[in-house]
């Protein structure tokens, strides 16, 4: 399963992504997390992204597209992935379409978490307070000033993606203001019953093979009697070919018993 989670900062994309990866056995690909890791490691990408992220602006498209192109090709992404924070601009979405087409892959759905902007600041303040209480490091961009910038970047550059995917018939909008479990349930309904739980190996494709996969092989009465007749014929044939040996063995055994 391949999904995109769309929504402004604080909409709950990370929380829902975690639930989706557990349920479907797929991986979460968060460009924000990857960029933060690059900043922490001081890689060339990290050095380039650091100040942009601290201002709440978007990192250039080619940087994130290159990261994603590399990441979706890795073996743990073969079963599927949920993209969180990517794409964030129309050119990124177009680049993703090309990347997937080159690999013969398809997106299953784009899930948009809709929330009132008014509550986002409160949500992020709450997240900061909880992280502080746990003694965790606070994100450099999780403060009211930068959040304003992140929201305006979202409105101007990312929100148009809802139209982009809606025109392709892929957009599923979900009320992100509902309680977390309800949001999860609504997403589950949008993905349909086939995507209900973490499945084992995929059934072979095609109507015939799917039937064979679903039903254990049963032997019909006719087939069973045909098989038994075949067996009887083959035993008789063996006897006919080696009658002396069979008889003499029996005779020897009988003689010994006497
Ligand atoms: P948010 O909580 O705002 O959704 P993320 O963790 O997804 O934040 O991203 C943090 C920052 O990383 C963004 O503000 C932006 O600077 C950068 N970033 C992440 N993903 C992208 C992307 N797809 N395109 C450009 N910049 C990105």
């Amino acid at each position: 399963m391949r999904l995109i989670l769309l929504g402004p900062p604080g909409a709950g994309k990370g929380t829902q992504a975690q639930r989706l990866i557990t349920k479907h056995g797929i991986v979460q690909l968060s460009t924000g997390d990857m960029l933060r890791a690059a900043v922490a490691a001081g890689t060339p990408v990290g050095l380039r992204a650091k100040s942009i992220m601290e201002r709440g602006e978007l990192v250039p498209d080619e940087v994130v597209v290159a990261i994603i192109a590399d990441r979706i090709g890795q073996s743990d992404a073969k079963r599927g992935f949920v993209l969180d924070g990517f794409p964030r601009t129309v050119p990124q979405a177009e680049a993703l379409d090309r990347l997937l087409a080159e690999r013969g892959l398809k997106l299953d759905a784009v899930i948009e978490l809709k929330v009132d902007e008014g509550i986002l600041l409160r949500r992020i303040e709450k997240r900061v307070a909880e992280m502080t209480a746990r003694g965790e490091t606070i994100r450099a961009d999780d403060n009211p000033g930068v959040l304003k910038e992140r929201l305006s970047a979202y409105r101007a550059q990312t929100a148009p993606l809802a139209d982009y995917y809606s025109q392709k018939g892929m957009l599923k909008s979900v009320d992100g203001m509902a309680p977390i479990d309800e949001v999860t349930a609504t997403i589950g309904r949008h993905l349909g019953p086939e995507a209900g739980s973490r499945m084992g190996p995929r059934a072979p494709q095609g109507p015939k093979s799917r039937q064979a996969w679903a039903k254990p092989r049963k032997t019909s009465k006719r087939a069973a009697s045909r098989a038994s007749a075949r067996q009887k014929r083959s035993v008789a044939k063996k006897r006919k070919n080696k009658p002396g040996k069979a008889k003499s063995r029996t005779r020897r055994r009988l003689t010994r018993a006497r």
Side-chain angles (χ1 to χ4, degrees), residues 168-191:
K168 287 175 179 278
M170 303 187 76
L171 191 75
K172 318 273 184 201
S173 292
V174 174
D175 176 12
M177 308 284 285
I180 293 176
D181 286 345
E182 225 171 274
V183 176
T184 309
T186 312
I187 294 175
R189 278 196 298 277
H190 276 306
L191 296 180

Tab-separated table of all heavy atoms in Angstrom, residues 168-191:
chain	number	residue	atom	x	y	z
A	168	LYS	N	-7.356	13.873	-9.807
A	168	LYS	CA	-6.974	12.511	-10.202
A	168	LYS	C	-7.894	11.477	-9.553
A	168	LYS	O	-7.676	10.271	-9.689
A	168	LYS	CB	-5.537	12.232	-9.738
A	168	LYS	CG	-4.472	12.970	-10.544
A	168	LYS	CD	-3.104	12.714	-9.920
A	168	LYS	CE	-1.985	13.393	-10.663
A	168	LYS	NZ	-1.528	12.638	-11.832
A	169	GLY	N	-8.853	11.965	-8.742
A	169	GLY	CA	-9.801	11.076	-8.070
A	169	GLY	C	-9.171	10.294	-6.916
A	169	GLY	O	-9.661	9.225	-6.544
A	170	MET	N	-8.085	10.831	-6.361
A	170	MET	CA	-7.378	10.071	-5.319
A	170	MET	C	-7.552	10.645	-3.922
A	170	MET	O	-7.117	10.043	-2.947
A	170	MET	CB	-5.878	10.077	-5.631
A	170	MET	CG	-5.562	9.520	-6.985
A	170	MET	SD	-3.823	9.374	-7.187
A	170	MET	CE	-3.566	7.965	-6.198
A	171	LEU	N	-8.145	11.829	-3.822
A	171	LEU	CA	-8.173	12.524	-2.531
A	171	LEU	C	-9.272	12.012	-1.608
A	171	LEU	O	-10.425	11.905	-2.003
A	171	LEU	CB	-8.356	14.023	-2.759
A	171	LEU	CG	-8.140	14.884	-1.523
A	171	LEU	CD1	-6.653	15.000	-1.203
A	171	LEU	CD2	-8.738	16.264	-1.705
A	172	LYS	N	-8.901	11.696	-0.370
A	172	LYS	CA	-9.880	11.308	0.653
A	172	LYS	C	-9.714	12.313	1.786
A	172	LYS	O	-8.654	12.342	2.434
A	172	LYS	CB	-9.585	9.910	1.224
A	172	LYS	CG	-9.184	8.885	0.176
A	172	LYS	CD	-10.378	8.208	-0.417
A	172	LYS	CE	-9.963	7.128	-1.385
A	172	LYS	NZ	-11.010	6.795	-2.326
A	173	SER	N	-10.743	13.142	2.002
A	173	SER	CA	-10.632	14.147	3.066
A	173	SER	C	-11.204	13.616	4.361
A	173	SER	O	-12.262	13.003	4.385
A	173	SER	CB	-11.354	15.422	2.658
A	173	SER	OG	-10.652	16.006	1.591
A	174	VAL	N	-10.477	13.874	5.439
A	174	VAL	CA	-10.860	13.368	6.757
A	174	VAL	C	-10.885	14.540	7.738
A	174	VAL	O	-10.019	15.421	7.667
A	174	VAL	CB	-9.818	12.310	7.219
A	174	VAL	CG1	-10.081	11.855	8.640
A	174	VAL	CG2	-9.807	11.116	6.271
A	175	ASP	N	-11.878	14.522	8.650
A	175	ASP	CA	-11.944	15.577	9.659
A	175	ASP	C	-10.858	15.332	10.720
A	175	ASP	O	-10.997	14.466	11.577
A	175	ASP	CB	-13.344	15.563	10.290
A	175	ASP	CG	-13.465	16.564	11.431
A	175	ASP	OD1	-12.553	17.412	11.585
A	175	ASP	OD2	-14.470	16.494	12.182
A	176	GLY	N	-9.811	16.115	10.640
A	176	GLY	CA	-8.690	15.958	11.561
A	176	GLY	C	-8.942	16.562	12.933
A	176	GLY	O	-8.082	16.484	13.811
A	177	MET	N	-10.147	17.164	13.123
A	177	MET	CA	-10.491	17.736	14.434
A	177	MET	C	-11.127	16.665	15.330
A	177	MET	O	-11.277	16.875	16.526
A	177	MET	CB	-11.511	18.878	14.278
A	177	MET	CG	-11.111	19.934	13.292
A	177	MET	SD	-9.854	20.994	13.968
A	177	MET	CE	-10.852	21.957	15.097
A	178	ALA	N	-11.525	15.559	14.744
A	178	ALA	CA	-12.164	14.475	15.511
A	178	ALA	C	-11.122	13.815	16.415
A	178	ALA	O	-9.918	13.980	16.200
A	178	ALA	CB	-12.739	13.462	14.534
A	179	PRO	N	-11.582	13.077	17.456
A	179	PRO	CA	-10.625	12.371	18.316
A	179	PRO	C	-9.724	11.431	17.497
A	179	PRO	O	-10.165	10.925	16.446
A	179	PRO	CB	-11.514	11.574	19.274
A	179	PRO	CG	-12.843	12.247	19.228
A	179	PRO	CD	-12.974	12.864	17.868
A	180	ILE	N	-8.508	11.211	17.982
A	180	ILE	CA	-7.489	10.447	17.235
A	180	ILE	C	-8.026	9.105	16.714
A	180	ILE	O	-7.849	8.768	15.548
A	180	ILE	CB	-6.225	10.228	18.114
A	180	ILE	CG1	-5.551	11.579	18.364
A	180	ILE	CG2	-5.248	9.276	17.444
A	180	ILE	CD1	-4.342	11.520	19.297
A	181	ASP	N	-8.711	8.335	17.597
A	181	ASP	CA	-9.198	7.014	17.182
A	181	ASP	C	-10.237	7.111	16.068
A	181	ASP	O	-10.333	6.239	15.210
A	181	ASP	CB	-9.827	6.263	18.365
A	181	ASP	CG	-8.741	5.766	19.322
A	181	ASP	OD1	-7.561	5.762	18.927
A	181	ASP	OD2	-9.095	5.395	20.465
A	182	GLU	N	-11.038	8.193	16.144
A	182	GLU	CA	-12.065	8.370	15.115
A	182	GLU	C	-11.419	8.689	13.767
A	182	GLU	O	-11.861	8.197	12.725
A	182	GLU	CB	-12.969	9.534	15.525
A	182	GLU	CG	-14.441	9.241	15.357
A	182	GLU	CD	-15.265	10.335	15.971
A	182	GLU	OE1	-15.522	10.246	17.208
A	182	GLU	OE2	-15.603	11.285	15.249
A	183	VAL	N	-10.363	9.511	13.816
A	183	VAL	CA	-9.642	9.845	12.578
A	183	VAL	C	-9.077	8.555	11.984
A	183	VAL	O	-9.221	8.282	10.788
A	183	VAL	CB	-8.501	10.869	12.858
A	183	VAL	CG1	-7.692	11.127	11.596
A	183	VAL	CG2	-9.074	12.178	13.399
A	184	THR	N	-8.490	7.725	12.844
A	184	THR	CA	-7.925	6.445	12.385
A	184	THR	C	-9.007	5.582	11.736
A	184	THR	O	-8.790	4.994	10.674
A	184	THR	CB	-7.305	5.673	13.577
A	184	THR	OG1	-6.422	6.556	14.255
A	184	THR	CG2	-6.554	4.441	13.131
A	185	ALA	N	-10.171	5.524	12.388
A	185	ALA	CA	-11.261	4.684	11.862
A	185	ALA	C	-11.741	5.207	10.512
A	185	ALA	O	-12.006	4.424	9.594
A	185	ALA	CB	-12.410	4.647	12.864
A	186	THR	N	-11.860	6.532	10.387
A	186	THR	CA	-12.327	7.099	9.116
A	186	THR	C	-11.320	6.793	8.010
A	186	THR	O	-11.700	6.432	6.891
A	186	THR	CB	-12.524	8.628	9.236
A	186	THR	OG1	-13.266	8.885	10.414
A	186	THR	CG2	-13.246	9.197	8.037
A	187	ILE	N	-10.038	6.928	8.326
A	187	ILE	CA	-9.010	6.611	7.320
A	187	ILE	C	-9.163	5.145	6.909
A	187	ILE	O	-9.140	4.806	5.731
A	187	ILE	CB	-7.587	6.886	7.865
A	187	ILE	CG1	-7.396	8.391	8.093
A	187	ILE	CG2	-6.513	6.342	6.921
A	187	ILE	CD1	-6.076	8.785	8.736
A	188	GLY	N	-9.356	4.273	7.895
A	188	GLY	CA	-9.523	2.839	7.625
A	188	GLY	C	-10.687	2.592	6.678
A	188	GLY	O	-10.592	1.798	5.753
A	189	ARG	N	-11.784	3.311	6.913
A	189	ARG	CA	-12.962	3.133	6.037
A	189	ARG	C	-12.648	3.600	4.616
A	189	ARG	O	-13.035	2.971	3.647
A	189	ARG	CB	-14.169	3.901	6.600
A	189	ARG	CG	-14.897	3.139	7.701
A	189	ARG	CD	-16.280	3.717	7.958
A	189	ARG	NE	-16.218	5.097	8.426
A	189	ARG	CZ	-16.002	5.456	9.701
A	189	ARG	NH1	-15.802	4.538	10.615
A	189	ARG	NH2	-15.966	6.730	10.040
A	190	HIS	N	-11.935	4.711	4.516
A	190	HIS	CA	-11.566	5.221	3.184
A	190	HIS	C	-10.690	4.230	2.431
A	190	HIS	O	-10.754	4.139	1.213
A	190	HIS	CB	-10.816	6.544	3.304
A	190	HIS	CG	-11.712	7.734	3.433
A	190	HIS	ND1	-12.709	7.992	2.528
A	190	HIS	CD2	-11.752	8.724	4.348
A	190	HIS	CE1	-13.330	9.098	2.891
A	190	HIS	NE2	-12.773	9.568	4.002
A	191	LEU	N	-9.849	3.523	3.167
A	191	LEU	CA	-8.927	2.613	2.489
A	191	LEU	C	-9.623	1.312	2.096
A	191	LEU	O	-9.087	0.539	1.301
A	191	LEU	CB	-7.700	2.334	3.354
A	191	LEU	CG	-6.833	3.574	3.634
A	191	LEU	CD1	-5.645	3.226	4.496
A	191	LEU	CD2	-6.373	4.213	2.335
